[in-house]
Each structure stands twice: as C-alpha cells, then as structure tokens.
Amino acid sequence: MAEISEAHDSDSSKSTDNASEAPTQPESEPEFNPKLMRKTKPGLKRLFLTFSVLFSFLLGLQFLWKSVEIYRSPLPFREIDSLSTQLGSDHLIFPLHFHALFVGFDSDPDRLRLSILSEITKLTSQNPKCSHNYTLSVTVDSGSHCLHSPTTSPHSCSYQCGSITAIDFDQNDDVAIDERLVPVFGGKTNEYSVVVVKGESERAVVGKNRRAWVVVGSGREVEIAVVKVAEVLVKVFVNGGREEGSIRNEFMPVGADGRIVLSFNLLNADPRDWVYDWDFRKIDNNLLAPMIEALGPVANISVESQVLYHTPKASFSYWDQQLQSYVFSTKDLPFFVNSNEWHLDTSIAAGGRSKILQFVVYVPSAKECPLLLQLPNGEISNTNGFISPMWGGVIVWNPQGCLKDDNKPTARRTIPMQDLENMFEVFTGQFRQLFGFKSVNIYAGASGVWNLLPSERGFTEWELDVLSRQHTCFNLHSCASTLGSLSRLVQSLPRMIIMDEIGKQVKFSLEAAKLAQSNASNGVYESSAASSRQARSLAEDAFFHPSIMSVSYYSFEHCFAVYSL
C-alpha cells in the first residue's frame, strides 16, 4: 500500500510542474459594439458651445483690459514744444515808442534823432530772454514853425505846433506842468515823451504819466539835451531807474498763482504798559485800495490785518544818553523779528503758492521807549523802519510821552490818524522797494539828477509799464518751463493718470500765453501782464495737480505686484 501511494504523489507533482511550465493564454479583447457607435457627424450644439466659451473669454478679456486701463486725457505736446521753442529761440519783443520835443531850438530834427538813437544804443543792454523794439520821432518847435523827423511808427505823436512854450516851464509847480502836458501829447497814449526847453534854472523832472521835461541852460544845450533825453528814455522809462537792467528772472514778490497777501500787524510788546489799536478800515479804503487797483494787472492782491499782544522783539537795545532814547543798530536787524512770539502767519486766505508780505507796526514797551534805529553812518533813521527782502517791512512807532514815569495800566488807545498815514506812506515806500523801485523820488544818473514825481496810487504809469513788461517776460518763460516739465513727465510715465481737468488747464494756459504774446507785441502792457499771470497760474495748477503728485512717486514694480496677486 505504501508503494502505491508514493507513486501517486510523484505523478501529481509532475503534472503540477507541467502545468506551471505551460504558456499563459492572452485575455480576449472586448468585442466592438456597433450600438454605441455615433453614426452621425457633430451638430451645431458642439459648435455653439465652442463659440460660447470663446466669446466669453474674449468678453472677459475686454473687461479685464478696461479694469486695468489708465485714463489719459490728450495733452497738446506739439503746442507745448512750440511755445518753449518760440520763447527760447525768438526773444519776446516789446515795442516802445519815444518822442522828443525841442522847444525854442533851430536844430535839424534828423540829426537830433540820429544822435539820440546813438546814445540809446550805448545805454541799452541786451537781455537773453526779452528785448525792446525802439521807435523815435523828433519834433523841433522853433516858435514860428515846426520840423518833424520822418518816422515809420504808427504811434507818432499828434503834437500841435505852438501848444507849449518855454514860459510854461518857468513855474516851480512841477505837478501843474505834468498835468499841462497830458492833453498836449494826446492823453492816454503809450508813447513816452520828453520835452526840452531853454531856461535859466536847469532841472530835469519825470512826471507821473509817461512824460518828462528838461530845462537846459545856455552853452552846449543841444549836446547836453541829447544825453539827458537818451538817459531818461532808457534808464528811467525802460529800466525803471534800476542799474541791473529792465528784466530779471526773479524780481517781484508775487506767488506762483499770481497772488499777494498783504498782512498788516500791530504788535503791542507789553500790554501791561499800554494797549494800542488802529482804524485800519480807513487806511485800507483811502491809501491801500488805489494802490491795489493800480497793481491789478500784475498781481491779485488781498489785504488782512490783526492786533497782537505780548510780542517782544528778539534783539537788544541800549540807552543813549545823548539821544535820550534806546537805540538798536542795523546789525541787530536779523534778530529783531521774534519768530517764536510773533504769530504772524495766520492767514487762511493765502493758498500754498501765494506770497504773504508781512508789514509790522511795533509798539515798544515802557522799558525801551523811545526806541530808535541807528544807521551805519551813525544817523537816526527818518522812517524808523526797515525791510526784509521777500518777507516784508517793520516800523517802530513810539507813543507820545513814553518817557513819563507812569507805569499804571491804561485803557485801550487808538493810534492817531496822522501817525497812521505817515506810517503807511513808509509802508508804501517799503512795498516799492520789495518790487525793485526806490523809496526816494530821485534818480541820480550819469547826466545829472532827475526829480521823480510821486503818484497818489504809489506807482506811476511808467512804473506800472515797467512792472507789466517784466512780469509778462518772467511769467511766459516760467509757464513754458512748467509746461515743458509736465510734458516730459507725462511722456516718461505711461501709467500716469491724466484727468480731463489737467488737460483743460494746459489748454487754457497755452491760450493765455498766446494772448499775452499778442498783447505784448502790440504794446498793450496791462493786458499782456494779466494774461501771462493767468498762463503761469494754470500751468502751475496743472503740474501740481494732486493726481499727478501721487503718481509721480508711484513705481511700476508696485503696480506689477498688485496685479500679480
């Protein structure tokens, strides 16, 4: 039995080995089912879905593009470049028409004209930005007849022969002579006229209008008269009595927006001694209003006033036994204004680019009264005041009887009106100095001394012409420079937002600049000054627009980081 079972086991193991050695049969693939096969081509449904997805993508792309688009109002870059090129290559030319009248002379008017033009050429200095185009006409009134030099000027004077004689200039009333010359030369014309007469007492006077007259003695009266006429035409009527020239880059305390704020301050150093007030309204109506109206084309001027207390000065003074007063010198002027105690900048009417001029009436305390200003030559100042360029002026007013031993508190007092008028006359002179004119009514030239008649408005007509020409020249170049900087800034930053308001400001600025150029070339000085002021103000507003100021410091990397998140 045992042998039979072993044989059976060996047979079964062999069969198992044979089965493992037999090759494996591959699995049968599933048969193709024709029922599941698509028998027709794709219809419109798939095409519609495809185009719907594509349309949605394109529509979303437009919305995405609009959401990140930067709005830029179109700017007239060509006109801006044209204005800068025009002012840079071609000088701004102001036409000036002169007329010289010789009364009681028998000279040839043509020779006089050539001699005066030769002297004018010697005195004229070239300006790199603005220049003048001179025309001169000469009339010789011998008493019996008149001779005129040929001129191409359309503004030739309509002088009637025999209208004035040398007798009219014998009187010493220069104001009456000035008024007498107004109707003789055609009233309000833009022509500058100089009258030369013979007389015993030599003198030279410049009137309030555009007229001047010279009285020459016997001898070389013709040669002297030619030099004097050329000097008054160039040095006074053109340059305004300044040695620097007729036009400078920085010459007037006017803000970039064309505004000036005149801030008048009455400072009581120690109200325990006395308290003073003033009637500022009368001064504003009687003295300041005419001057502000006269300067209207040059600047938009507003006035404010205030009274402050406990305002001691920052400098020291010493007692002068000889003068019986306290004295402070010109060396102490930089320390006189006490910026810690004098809270003067309280104006809410002045914008960020307006210019504020401070005019201070300082009432000293009883401990240093009277307080006088000593000049470098040792003399006491007649005005007892001083100016600080581009800041304003200060006047020290000493109350009457301040040396009396009376330290008791007193009631509020008012500064006498006569003292106020005298102080504001000094303020007017300081204001003229801030504009570059002299506070004294005398011009000392190479040919002699000229007496300048003052105007009730603070500025004469020929002085206003000088300011208008200078203001026009400076504003137009400043406008072109500002617009040019804006153009380069906008083109260098393609991601900068340019609002419609900026585009309108640039457009109106260019229009005002063109109008100013046209008025200047036609000799309309007041209109050219007003237009140039508007052009500069609009250019400054466009360049310093809040949207531009925020983007000018906005980097492209920041924009990329925002949209990549």
Side-chain angles (χ1 to χ4, degrees):
M1 294 293 292
E3 295 177 356
I4 296 173
S5 60
E6 290 178 358
H8 179 74
D9 293 335
S10 60
D11 295 338
S12 61
S13 60
K14 291 180 180 179
S15 62
T16 304
D17 294 337
N18 294 333
S20 59
E21 292 178 359
T24 58
Q25 296 294 331
E27 297 180 358
S28 62
E29 297 181 357
E31 296 181 358
F32 181 75
N33 190 359
K35 295 182 179 180
L36 300 178
M37 179 180 177
R38 185 183 182 93
K39 298 180 180 180
T40 59
K41 294 182 179 181
L44 297 178
K45 183 177 180 181
R46 178 177 294 184
L47 184 63
F48 176 75
L49 292 176
T50 303
F51 278 104
S52 299
V53 173
L54 181 61
F55 177 75
S56 301
F57 174 76
L58 295 177
L59 185 63
L61 183 63
Q62 292 182 0
F63 281 108
L64 178 62
W65 181 261
K66 279 293 182 181
S67 63
V68 299
E69 182 184 11
I70 301 298
Y71 179 76
R72 295 169 63 91
S73 177
L75 296 182
F77 297 112
R78 292 185 179 178
E79 296 183 9
I80 294 175
D81 296 338
S82 176
L83 177 63
S84 301
T85 303
Q86 184 177 3
L87 292 177
S89 59
D90 300 333
H91 297 320
L92 184 62
I93 300 177
F94 295 94
L96 294 173
H97 310 290
F98 301 143
H99 179 241
L101 173 62
F102 292 81
V103 179
F105 288 78
D106 292 328
S107 304
D108 184 10
D110 294 338
R111 295 184 59 184
L112 290 175
R113 179 176 178 273
L114 294 177
S115 300
I116 295 175
L117 287 177
S118 177
E119 294 293 330
I120 289 177
T121 304
K122 297 178 182 178
L123 298 175
T124 303
S125 59
Q126 297 294 330
N127 188 279
K129 291 186 176 181
C130 300
S131 58
H132 302 90
N133 182 20
Y134 303 105
T135 58
L136 175 64
S137 61
V138 177
T139 302
V140 177
D141 189 351
S142 61
S144 58
H145 62 281
C146 290
L147 298 177
H148 303 275
S149 64
T151 178
T152 59
S153 172
H155 300 271
S156 58
C157 180
S158 59
Y159 171 74
Q160 298 295 330
C161 188
S163 299
I164 54 177
T165 60
I167 302 176
D168 297 332
F169 298 88
D170 290 340
Q171 56 181 331
N172 295 324
D173 191 357
D174 292 334
V175 177
I177 297 176
D178 187 38
E179 295 177 355
R180 172 75 175 83
L181 294 178
V182 172
V184 172
F185 292 100
K188 292 185 177 181
T189 61
N190 291 334
E191 190 174 54
Y192 300 94
S193 304
V194 182
V195 182
V196 182
V197 298
K198 296 180 180 180
E200 297 180 357
S201 58
E202 296 185 0
R203 71 180 190 275
V205 183
V206 179
K208 295 181 292 185
N209 302 297
R210 301 177 180 91
R211 316 285 178 254
W213 60 93
V214 182
V215 180
V216 295
S218 58
R220 300 173 55 193
E221 61 271 6
V222 176
E223 291 81 1
I224 296 175
V226 167
V227 175
K228 284 185 172 291
V229 168
E231 184 178 38
V232 71
L233 290 177
V234 176
K235 295 297 184 179
V236 178
F237 286 145
V238 177
N239 297 350
R242 304 168 180 173
E243 298 298 333
E244 304 86 44
S246 59
I247 297 177
R248 295 178 295 168
N249 290 335
E250 297 177 358
F251 59 94
M252 285 191 301
V254 181
D257 57 352
R259 293 188 58 195
I260 302 177
V261 178
L262 302 181
S263 178
F264 292 91
N265 309 271
L266 176 59
L267 306 186
N268 292 275
D270 193 349
R272 294 172 297 181
D273 298 331
W274 41 61
V275 176
Y276 278 91
D277 201 349
W278 56 5
D279 192 355
F280 185 81
R281 182 171 298 179
K282 289 185 179 180
I283 294 297
D284 186 14
N285 296 332
N286 299 334
L287 298 180
L288 296 179
M291 182 180 64
I292 293 174
E293 182 181 0
L295 292 173
V298 176
N300 182 14
I301 303 177
S302 58
V303 179
E304 62 180 16
S305 66
Q306 62 178 347
V307 180
L308 300 179
Y309 308 96
H310 299 284
T311 53
K313 60 183 179 63
S315 62
F316 296 97
S317 60
Y318 63 92
W319 174 259
D320 190 294
Q321 188 65 28
Q322 184 179 0
L323 297 174
Q324 289 294 305
S325 62
Y326 292 89
V327 175
F328 68 102
S329 63
T330 54
K331 298 180 181 179
D332 302 324
L333 297 184
F335 312 100
F336 190 92
V337 177
N338 190 350
S339 58
N340 294 327
E341 302 291 341
W342 296 10
H343 304 289
L344 305 180
D345 296 333
T346 59
S347 175
I348 60 176
R353 297 192 304 275
S354 299
K355 182 62 182 178
I356 303 178
L357 295 180
Q358 307 288 351
F359 293 95
V360 175
V361 177
Y362 179 77
V363 182
S365 62
K367 297 179 181 180
E368 52 178 3
C369 186
L371 183 63
L372 303 179
L373 172 61
Q374 189 176 30
L375 300 178
N377 57 5
E379 298 181 357
I380 300 300
S381 173
N382 296 327
T383 61
N384 209 28
F386 60 93
I387 67 169
S388 178
M390 301 301 293
W391 182 85
V394 177
I395 295 178
V396 178
W397 181 76
N398 298 300
Q400 295 181 357
C402 62
L403 288 177
K404 296 180 180 179
D405 296 333
D406 186 9
N407 295 328
K408 297 181 180 180
T410 58
R412 181 182 295 269
R413 304 176 184 179
T414 303
I415 298 179
M417 183 56 61
Q418 185 62 40
D419 291 353
L420 270 182
E421 292 179 356
N422 295 335
M423 284 188 291
F424 274 83
E425 288 180 1
V426 177
F427 279 143
T428 301
Q430 293 179 348
F431 191 55
R432 287 170 51 84
Q433 286 183 290
L434 293 175
F435 272 86
F437 292 105
K438 297 181 179 180
S439 59
V440 294
N441 299 321
I442 293 176
Y443 171 73
S447 63
V449 178
W450 290 80
N451 182 26
L452 309 179
L453 296 183
S455 175
E456 298 82 3
R457 302 186 299 172
F459 295 86
T460 60
E461 288 188 7
W462 59 269
E463 288 175 334
L464 293 175
D465 291 344
V466 172
L467 288 180
S468 297
R469 290 193 296 267
Q470 295 177 345
H471 194 70
T472 301
C473 180
F474 177 73
N475 280 345
L476 285 179
H477 283 86
S478 178
C479 171
S481 176
T482 303
L483 291 180
S485 300
L486 176 63
S487 175
R488 291 188 295 270
L489 177 65
V490 170
Q491 296 182 49
S492 63
L493 297 177
R495 302 293 299 175
M496 176 182 290
I497 300 176
I498 307 300
M499 302 178 64
D500 290 335
E501 183 180 3
I502 299 175
K504 292 179 181 180
Q505 290 172 344
V506 173
K507 176 183 176 182
F508 294 151
S509 177
L510 290 173
E511 293 178 355
K514 292 180 181 179
L515 182 60
Q517 287 179 292
S518 176
N519 291 329
S521 61
N522 294 327
V524 188
Y525 303 137
E526 294 183 357
S527 300
S528 63
S531 300
S532 67
R533 185 188 70 189
Q534 183 182 10
R536 181 192 177 191
S537 177
L538 290 172
E540 293 284 340
D541 292 341
F543 186 82
F544 291 101
H545 195 274
S547 62
I548 289 184
M549 297 303 296
S550 61
V551 177
S552 59
Y553 300 100
Y554 179 72
S555 61
F556 177 76
E557 289 78 6
H558 176 74
C559 178
F560 178 78
V562 169
Y563 287 107
S564 62
L565 294 178

